[in-house]
Amino acid sequence: MLDPKLLRTDLENIATALAKRGFKLDTGQLSALEEQRKGIQVKTQELQNQRNTRSKSIGQAKARGEDIQPLLAEVSQLGDDLKAAEEEQNKVLAQINAIASAIPNLMDESVPHGDSEDDNVEIKRWGTPREFDFEVKDHVDLGAALDKGLDFESGAKLAGTRFAVMRGQVAKLHRALAQFMLDVHTEEHGYQEMYVPYLVNQDSLYGTGQLPKFGDDLFNTELANKQFSLIPTAEVPLTNLVRDEIVEEAELPIKMAAHSPCFRSEAGSYGRDIRGLIRQHQFDKVEMVQLVKPETSMAALEELTGHAEKILEKLELPYRTVVLCTGDIGFSSSKTFDLEVWLPAQNTYREISSCSNMGDFQARRMQARFRNSETNKPELLHTLNGSGLAVGRTLVAILENYQQADGSIKVPTVLQPYMKGLTQLG
């Protein structure tokens, strides 16, 4: 959420900045509500002052032996008027908050201008795509040939489209990938391994920006008349660990990593990537989260992105890094780097990780703060998150990049210890 002070004092400049990401802010509506709020606030203060003055007069009149009944009636009426004004003020504030909660983050000045993903800017390329001397197969056919190691028919039977069953060596490789990623991030990159709930409450989803805007993308359930949602990413529970908390500056940066399933309805994406594992309702991901001081957050974004890149490099998978443009950046992000891995069957790079600096946008929604050691006052944290990596998409990349002419799949060298020395699938 943006700083309410900015919305009150710098509305036109905020609207101009938001327009760069294609968001049209109704400044007239907000200005009108703000004028209404200020008017009610003045009225409320006047009523409070009048009631306080009349209340003092009651004691004085009583001491003089005067009839205090008219004063009591006047104070009672002022109390009713004050309650009505406060209720009116709360309604206006609720309208302002509803608008504010749907406003996206302001972008960093370094974010390139563009209208869509076609305008994202490549800043790095690593590795050379392999040249094949046989006809390349995609991961769906490769997985099916490995004793139905990837089985989408059974997934559809059990749950519907966009679900999969994994068997045998493919399931083992999928598990190995998650363990490998966690080991690298915890042993080499300094993250604390975490295990988090897969169901979260509405406050958590609001805190990281999924609600109210992205409610349609959630899978929801209810328990004891309370609504919960399956996590769309471990970012939600990890980041919300500091909701309504004040951490000491000496504890920063806080770096956490978790492997979890993720659940997304993919609302509005039907017809896209319907074949295979690229866009599933349920998928696994290793998520990295950093909580840092404001002045270090952009350096932390570079670091976090490098941690995701290191996984691809250890797996020897060609990739490129792009910075998202103004027309493609996410709702809560101030700046985002995407990593795109090479998929031979599609003859293109596809997203496998998204690393973002949220600035104080999420922290303000969560009231997540740290205590400044110099001023001893609490300040908003900056939050960052990134995939390190999406496990299913990494599995896709390995199946396609490491395929052999006979349909077998070589196991990347760094994964062989996790596969009990197995060097190939099939």
Side-chain angles (χ1 to χ4, degrees):
M1 182 175 288
L2 299 184
D3 187 344
K5 293 179 182 177
L6 289 177
L7 293 177
R8 290 197 292 266
T9 62
D10 201 19
L11 189 57
E12 292 301 327
N13 285 331
I14 295 299
T16 300
L18 291 170
K20 294 178 181 178
R21 60 153 72 225
F23 184 87
K24 185 176 181 180
L25 182 63
D26 190 338
T27 56
Q29 182 185 24
L30 264 179
S31 296
L33 286 169
E34 177 59 20
E35 287 302 312
Q36 191 176 351
R37 183 198 67 80
K38 288 193 290 187
I40 298 171
Q41 185 177 31
V42 170
K43 179 181 177 181
T44 300
Q45 290 173 343
E46 290 175 350
L47 288 169
Q48 287 174 332
N49 291 335
Q50 290 178 34
R51 188 175 66 169
N52 291 338
T53 300
R54 296 296 186 276
S55 295
K56 291 178 182 178
S57 299
I58 292 174
Q60 296 169 352
K62 193 173 183 180
R64 293 193 298 268
E66 298 174 359
D67 182 9
I68 61 171
Q69 204 59 42
L71 286 173
L72 288 172
E74 188 176 357
V75 168
S76 176
Q77 182 60 52
L78 285 169
D80 291 342
D81 292 344
L82 182 59
K83 183 179 180 181
E86 289 172 343
E87 289 176 353
E88 186 180 4
Q89 186 176 45
N90 288 337
K91 288 180 181 178
V92 173
L93 285 172
Q95 289 179 272
I96 293 173
N97 288 335
I99 295 171
S101 66
I103 298 173
N105 199 0
L106 297 175
M107 296 173 296
D108 187 75
E109 292 181 358
S110 63
V111 174
H113 178 75
D115 298 323
S116 70
E117 62 182 18
D118 296 331
D119 299 314
N120 294 337
V121 178
E122 180 179 320
I123 58 173
K124 177 180 179 180
R125 191 172 290 213
W126 187 93
T128 303
R130 174 184 166 195
E131 293 186 5
F132 295 84
D133 57 6
F134 57 89
E135 185 177 352
V136 173
K137 295 180 181 178
D138 73 2
H139 69 282
V140 178
D141 293 334
L142 290 165
L146 294 169
D147 195 23
K148 295 186 73 175
L150 266 183
D151 184 354
F152 295 98
E153 289 183 4
S154 293
K157 174 183 177 181
L158 296 173
T161 57
R162 297 194 178 183
F163 290 93
V165 170
M166 297 182 194
R167 290 187 176 88
Q169 293 179 336
V170 173
K172 189 171 186 176
L173 181 60
H174 186 266
R175 173 166 56 91
L177 277 167
Q179 291 177 322
F180 161 70
M181 293 172 188
L182 278 176
D183 283 350
V184 172
H185 293 316
T186 56
E187 295 171 11
E188 299 181 25
H189 298 154
Y191 292 82
Q192 181 182 27
E193 182 172 347
M194 308 288 289
Y195 175 82
V196 292
Y198 300 160
L199 284 169
V200 291
N201 56 31
Q202 305 299 288
D203 288 342
S204 296
L205 291 159
Y206 177 83
T208 42
Q210 279 74 24
L211 289 180
K213 186 174 177 61
F214 301 103
D216 290 343
D217 205 28
L218 300 170
F219 286 104
N220 302 311
T221 187
E222 196 171 282
L223 178 66
N225 295 321
K226 294 181 180 179
Q227 190 169 355
F228 298 88
S229 299
L230 288 163
I231 58 172
T233 164
E235 167 205 343
V236 178
L238 286 175
T239 311
N240 273 277
L241 285 170
V242 293
R243 174 160 46 91
D244 296 323
E245 301 280 347
I246 300 175
V247 301
E248 295 304 318
E249 185 175 337
E251 297 177 47
L252 303 176
I254 295 173
K255 298 163 67 173
M256 301 173 285
H259 165 226
S260 77
C262 306
F263 305 88
R264 299 181 188 177
S265 72
E266 297 290 351
S269 69
Y270 293 99
R272 295 178 59 197
D273 299 318
I274 59 174
R275 179 176 170 83
L277 288 175
I278 297 297
R279 198 177 295 274
Q280 295 275 286
H281 291 312
Q282 174 185 316
F283 59 96
D284 280 37
K285 187 152 64 83
V286 171
E287 187 76 3
M288 303 176 292
V289 164
Q290 290 198 24
L291 310 172
V292 303
K293 293 188 292 185
E295 62 267 27
T296 67
S297 65
M298 279 304 170
L301 176 60
E302 298 282 347
E303 178 191 67
L304 183 141
T305 304
H307 293 160
E309 291 174 336
K310 185 59 67 176
I311 299 294
L312 290 168
E313 291 170 13
K314 286 177 177 288
L315 292 170
E316 300 182 77
L317 292 170
Y319 71 90
R320 69 176 195 149
T321 304
V322 300
V323 57
L324 299 194
C325 71
T326 55
D328 195 36
I329 194 169
F331 176 81
S332 299
S333 176
S334 65
K335 186 174 184 178
T336 296
F337 293 112
D338 271 7
L339 307 188
E340 298 176 352
V341 68
W342 177 257
L343 297 185
Q346 296 187 19
N347 195 39
T348 191
Y349 291 93
R350 295 300 304 269
E351 180 197 337
I352 197 168
S353 173
S354 190
C355 301
S356 299
N357 182 0
M358 308 301 193
D360 61 11
F361 188 80
Q362 292 178 328
R364 181 171 286 105
R365 297 168 81 101
M366 295 186 300
Q367 281 303 289
R369 296 168 290 171
F370 74 99
R371 191 175 303 282
N372 187 307
S373 59
E374 293 184 1
T375 65
N376 203 36
K377 294 181 179 179
E379 297 179 17
L380 291 172
L381 289 161
H382 277 203
T383 65
L384 302 95
N385 63 75
S387 308
L389 305 161
V391 180
R393 292 193 179 192
T394 309
L395 178 68
V396 169
I398 289 174
L399 292 177
E400 294 194 6
N401 282 280
Y402 280 87
Q403 64 180 291
Q404 306 302 304
D406 62 359
S408 64
I409 311 294
K410 282 188 176 181
V411 176
T413 303
V414 292
L415 292 180
Q416 290 175 15
Y418 296 88
M419 298 291 287
K420 305 300 182 183
L422 190 68
T423 60
Q424 74 173 37
L425 310 186

